[in-house]
Amino acid sequence: MFFRQWLRRPLSIAAISPSSRFLARRIIEALPAGTRRVIELGPGTGAFTRAMLEHGIAGNDLLALEYNPELQSYLREQLPSIRVVLGDARDLPGNPEVRRFLDEGAVHAIVSGLGLLAMDRETQQAILAGAFELMGEDGAFVQFTYGPKVPVHPDVMAELGLQGERSGFTLRNLPPASVYVLRKRGKAA
Ligand SMILES: C[S@@+](CC[C@H](N)C(=O)[O-])C[C@H]1O[C@@H](n2cnc3c(N)ncnc32)[C@H](O)[C@@H]1O
């Protein structure tokens, strides 16, 4: 499924293979203590989604937002216990299913499987502004990257008042990858 989608839409997939279980473990380790309700952006074939369910996040407390309709219906079939919503991460607050999920309870973390590094500044800004609008000041945005630093343009970090901290790294992913946690400046890990 991943490779079929990669052949069709390489730019939006922005990865050469699905994330490994080792990278998924680094994502789980980056979740703040006590995290219960999570939104996942760009779940793809579900590498991080499955790890979160195995970690103990309840199906009802997990919403995955994917904008590729084939991946969305694939994941919906594979993981019927969670909400897999078709939508665009650039307009998180405008998505009715995301709003409904938020009405049911606060979201503590947003896990991003998006290829943020390959996205332009405006797209990064829209995604992160929407994410922190939903989570509030104490939210944590957990992002993987193949690069050596926070995969967000410094101007976007400054405009949104964000700081980034590398929380993990693994060689056992193709390519090797790091995980960063973005928070509002002054908010402790
Ligand atoms: C790099 S792949 C990662 C897939 C999976 N999380 C993993 O790590 O194996 C990026 C995923 O984000 C999705 N995506 C890209 N842009 C998106 C957007 N604006 N809104 C929602 N999903 C998006 C793609 O369709 C793809 O499934």
Side-chain angles (χ1 to χ4, degrees):
M1 174 51 90
F2 185 93
F3 287 108
R4 196 171 334 129
Q5 295 307 318
W6 183 82
L7 286 172
R8 285 191 194 155
R9 308 166 211 244
L11 287 180
S12 76
I13 295 287
I16 53 169
S17 69
S19 294
S20 70
R21 63 194 167 89
F22 304 100
L23 180 55
R25 173 98 330 252
R26 299 288 93 79
I27 292 276
I28 299 299
E29 289 163 1
L31 291 173
T35 296
R36 194 171 57 81
R37 305 192 83 238
V38 180
I39 291 180
E40 182 184 4
L41 307 177
T45 47
F48 301 157
T49 330
R50 285 185 181 83
M52 283 192 273
L53 291 170
E54 280 161 23
H55 172 64
I57 303 283
N60 213 25
D61 288 333
L62 182 55
L63 179 147
L65 185 86
E66 172 58 61
Y67 87 163
N68 176 325
E70 287 167 70
L71 287 172
Q72 184 236 3
S73 54
Y74 167 80
L75 204 58
R76 213 174 227 184
E77 235 176 77
Q78 296 279 313
L79 301 175
S81 72
I82 71 161
R83 275 167 269 197
V84 186
V85 173
L86 187 63
D88 190 331
R90 286 170 293 191
D91 184 23
L92 266 181
N95 186 299
E97 290 188 70
V98 169
R99 292 239 63 103
R100 212 167 301 134
F101 184 68
L102 205 69
D103 287 344
E104 292 167 20
V107 169
H108 308 113
I110 293 186
V111 166
S112 167
L114 301 169
L116 213 57
L117 186 62
M119 294 176 174
D120 63 32
R121 219 173 110 171
E122 287 67 34
T123 304
Q124 293 182 349
Q125 167 98 23
I127 292 169
L128 285 164
F132 281 93
E133 185 184 327
L134 290 189
M135 291 190 288
E137 293 284 309
D138 293 322
F141 189 94
V142 178
Q143 174 71 51
F144 83 98
T145 182
Y146 306 131
K149 55 187 172 81
V150 175
V152 179
H153 196 286
D155 290 351
V156 174
M157 295 293 284
E159 277 157 30
L160 297 175
L162 297 177
Q163 61 190 359
E165 199 186 330
R166 189 161 93 145
S167 67
F169 170 76
T170 183
L171 281 170
R172 294 156 99 178
N173 190 71
L174 196 65
S178 296
V179 174
Y180 283 84
V181 182
L182 310 187
R183 287 189 173 82
K184 285 286 183 181
R185 225 175 275 139
K187 295 288 172 185

